[in-house]
Amino acid sequence: MFATKRLQKELIKLNEKLPPGITLVKADDLKEWLMDIQVMDDNPIYKDETYRLKFTFSGNYPIEAPEVVFTPVQTPSRPIPLHPHIYSNGIICLDMLAREGWSPVHNVESVCVSLQSMLTSNTKRERPEGDDKFVKYNTRRPKDINFVFHDNGV
Amino acid sequence: MPPGNEYAAEQLKNQGNAHFKDGDYGTAETFYSQAIQKNSKNPLLFTNRANARLKLEKWEGVIDDCIRSIELMKENMKAFFYLAQAQLAINHPNEALSSALMAYELCTNSSQQTSNAATISALVLKAKKAKWEIRERDRIRRRADLLSELEAKLEEDYKKDVHEIEDRIASGSVGTIEGQEEKADRKKEYDDKINDLRTAFALSDPENLKLREVPDYLVDGITFEIMHDPVVTRNGRSYERATLIEHLKRSPTDPLTRETLTIGDLRPNMALREACTEFMERNSGWVYDCVDGEVDGDTRWAHLSCT
């Protein structure tokens, strides 16, 4: 209902101007968009790398959060960033993207900016606890997973 | 007319009609022409040939046939209808509009021909649109001419002043640095004038309004649409009532601060509502003015119509 018009407007804005390190890769329809993000400072974990994000919108966006995951690409190289809240299959554990943490005033750009700062502020070269098991057995959609947001320090 | 010619003309017309039906418009035109040679007093032969020529895009021929047909029969809806199409095709929208209006009038006045009304009224709108487009194109061209003339005048003055300053530097009546400063001042003055002139032209151009964006303070932060019924939250932010309620049903929190917020906490923002209404009225008024009272189908403005 709201989604179409709102996404059209977001797209116009994204085509006009984007913050540094954020690029619109593909937005052919109003269901799935691809964005590239880079970390703008010298954090050695992410320096010189670019990561691809996949946004999937429901018809209730922005009342409902979009589904946002990192998605790997071979060429050009788009790995999954190493981070204690990012699983190796690209699923992100961020309260802003979860059911309770989402607010309809967020948008594609603000999600990208939040993810940039989530990476920038990280110092640990590690995956979340139980990454192997999660990646192997998880069949749920990212939004339906009840992550426990315990260490907000990261 | 020799006896039998009327009958021969009828036969030729029927052959023409058969070819027309098959889509062989060239042959149909030939048969109609032969029929007209046999009987030049039947207005239907001319309208039939006009229709074939319309398909063949022989616009001048269409116009001739229609005029002759109308001479033979005044209340001739078909002839006016074909005439309007040909006039539109050769870019004479004024004539096309009056022909189409004539066809429309004849059509609505006659009981058996009302089924054509929709087709003809579509043609009337098309002619109106063509007329508006030509007027608009001329207007833009005129404005552009005037603007470039004024810009040229400003530039001329500026160059003259710069020359004068350079002459004074050369003759030693003013120092080099002082002269350069004077030139820089003059340049700034000139740039400012050009900018002001362009802004004034842009502002006075109704076309310019098309590109005008709804200011952010009238836009709901959830739908990104102009608001119709803004409500204010406890932290002073305003949202469109319907969409904010949609959010509160799901999560009773302020979208920005995450503090608890319930539907009962919301208050209408009257002043902002006035501002939104005023903006909508001003802009949709422009939309309707510029297209001769036609409804503007432009989807960019669909959100401005109050629902």
Side-chain angles (χ1 to χ4, degrees):
Chain A
M1 43 175 191
F2 313 122
T4 316
K5 276 189 176 176
R6 154 88 184 232
L7 285 168
Q8 278 165 350
K9 294 194 175 197
E10 277 197 52
L11 194 55
I12 293 168
K13 286 196 176 174
L14 292 180
N15 279 321
E16 272 169 13
K17 196 174 181 287
L18 275 172
I22 300 175
T23 341
L24 174 67
V25 179
K26 188 167 160 267
D28 293 343
D29 55 34
L30 301 175
K31 292 211 159 65
E32 192 183 291
W33 293 2
L34 298 177
M35 304 290 294
D36 271 356
I37 65 165
Q38 281 171 298
V39 168
M40 297 313 287
D41 67 4
D42 287 337
N43 188 330
I45 311 178
Y46 308 111
K47 202 173 175 295
D48 298 326
E49 281 195 343
T50 306
Y51 308 104
R52 169 94 19 116
L53 285 166
K54 187 173 86 180
F55 284 74
T56 313
F57 308 100
S58 78
N60 271 335
Y61 176 81
I63 299 296
E64 263 177 33
E67 181 185 297
V68 186
V69 291
F70 282 103
T71 180
V73 181
Q74 294 292 328
T75 39
S77 166
R78 299 287 182 263
I80 307 281
L82 199 57
H83 188 286
H85 288 171
I86 301 169
Y87 291 90
S88 52
N89 58 4
I91 289 179
I92 307 160
C93 170
L94 177 67
D95 69 336
M96 171 190 195
L97 295 174
R99 204 178 182 283
E100 293 310 316
W102 172 255
S103 156
V105 293
H106 291 314
N107 53 57
V108 172
E109 185 185 314
S110 68
V111 169
C112 289
V113 171
S114 299
L115 286 168
Q116 270 181 323
S117 75
M118 170 174 147
L119 295 179
T120 304
S121 55
N122 176 43
T123 51
K124 297 180 189 159
R125 288 176 188 269
E126 54 188 48
R127 290 286 176 206
E129 230 181 87
D131 179 54
D132 288 353
K133 224 170 123 191
F134 176 81
V135 170
K136 215 167 167 184
Y137 299 112
N138 176 56
T139 52
R140 289 168 298 176
R141 297 178 63 82
K143 253 193 291 184
D144 302 328
I145 304 165
N146 292 314
F147 289 117
V148 184
F149 301 103
H150 40 85
D151 52 348
N152 287 317
V154 181
Chain B
M1 193 192 311
N5 268 8
E6 211 168 311
Y7 176 74
E10 197 62 22
Q11 293 299 309
L12 289 163
K13 188 192 92 178
N14 288 341
Q15 277 182 275
N17 287 354
H19 285 283
F20 187 94
K21 236 181 219 161
D22 290 343
D24 184 359
Y25 306 118
T27 313
E29 188 199 11
T30 311
F31 277 109
Y32 293 138
S33 296
Q34 288 172 10
I36 289 167
Q37 278 176 1
K38 296 283 179 196
N39 178 7
S40 58
K41 296 284 172 231
N42 182 355
L44 294 182
L45 296 177
F46 288 103
T47 42
N48 280 19
R49 188 168 70 180
N51 198 12
R53 287 178 167 176
L54 209 51
K55 301 282 184 191
L56 296 165
E57 305 196 345
K58 295 179 173 174
W59 311 120
E60 301 296 338
V62 177
I63 293 171
D64 286 345
D65 281 347
C66 291
I67 289 171
R68 290 181 70 179
S69 185
I70 293 164
E71 280 166 6
L72 294 166
M73 182 172 84
K74 281 219 149 28
E75 305 209 333
N76 193 334
M77 182 204 77
K78 265 190 183 172
F80 282 110
F81 181 58
Y82 299 146
L83 182 60
Q85 290 174 61
Q87 286 165 330
L88 200 56
I90 61 165
N91 216 1
H92 287 175
N94 286 317
E95 289 88 338
L97 181 58
S98 61
S99 305
L101 286 171
M102 194 67 197
Y104 188 74
E105 200 187 310
L106 293 169
C107 172
T108 46
N109 287 341
S110 104
S111 53
Q112 72 267 43
Q113 286 166 337
T114 43
S115 60
N116 295 314
T119 319
I120 300 175
S121 75
L123 186 64
V124 170
L125 290 180
K126 218 170 144 186
K128 276 191 182 173
K129 194 166 172 254
K131 201 177 142 180
W132 178 78
E133 274 167 0
I134 286 187
R135 211 176 54 208
E136 189 59 12
R137 202 190 56 206
D138 290 349
R139 194 185 60 80
I140 288 167
R141 199 175 287 160
R142 266 201 318 278
R143 288 177 63 91
D145 286 350
L146 179 57
L147 178 62
S148 57
E149 206 179 310
L150 292 172
E151 281 184 12
K153 282 237 157 58
L154 285 176
E155 197 186 338
E156 204 180 293
D157 285 356
Y158 164 67
K159 280 187 175 158
K160 212 176 85 193
D161 287 358
V162 169
H163 259 294
E164 205 184 285
I165 298 166
E166 276 166 356
D167 284 349
R168 275 193 284 145
I169 297 173
S171 71
S173 70
V174 66
T176 314
I177 294 171
E178 206 181 324
Q180 295 297 352
E181 277 173 1
E182 211 177 313
K183 257 163 70 177
D185 285 350
R186 189 64 189 86
K187 171 95 174 78
K188 194 186 170 303
E189 191 192 331
Y190 165 70
D191 287 344
D192 287 350
K193 274 186 183 170
I194 290 279
N195 270 335
D196 287 351
L197 182 66
R198 287 184 183 162
T199 310
F201 263 76
L203 283 178
S204 67
D205 185 357
E207 271 297 291
N208 187 53
L209 286 174
K210 236 188 209 171
L211 304 170
R212 196 160 146 187
E213 272 180 51
V214 184
D216 276 348
Y217 55 84
L218 302 181
V219 169
D220 169 40
I222 298 177
T223 53
F224 290 7
E225 300 278 357
I226 188 167
M227 292 181 273
H228 299 129
D229 182 14
V231 287
V232 62
T233 66
R234 281 192 295 189
N235 82 343
R237 280 263 171 181
S238 291
Y239 301 87
E240 176 65 24
R241 183 190 296 272
T243 47
L244 184 59
I245 286 178
E246 204 57 42
H247 162 70
L248 295 179
K249 281 197 293 199
R250 212 179 137 271
S251 157
T253 55
D254 187 298
L256 223 54
T257 61
R258 306 262 169 87
E259 284 167 14
T260 307
L261 183 74
T262 62
I263 295 172
D265 296 328
L266 306 177
R267 295 289 175 270
N269 188 338
M270 310 277 213
L272 192 58
R273 186 167 65 194
E274 293 288 311
C276 292
T277 310
E278 197 187 295
F279 183 89
M280 283 189 280
E281 275 170 5
R282 229 178 22 227
N283 287 283
S284 49
W286 166 75
V287 171
Y288 292 113
D289 276 351
C290 74
V291 281
D292 266 2
E294 287 174 36
V295 175
D296 189 39
D298 196 329
T299 49
R300 273 175 305 183
W301 296 95
H303 69 284
L304 289 181
S305 54
C306 295
T307 44

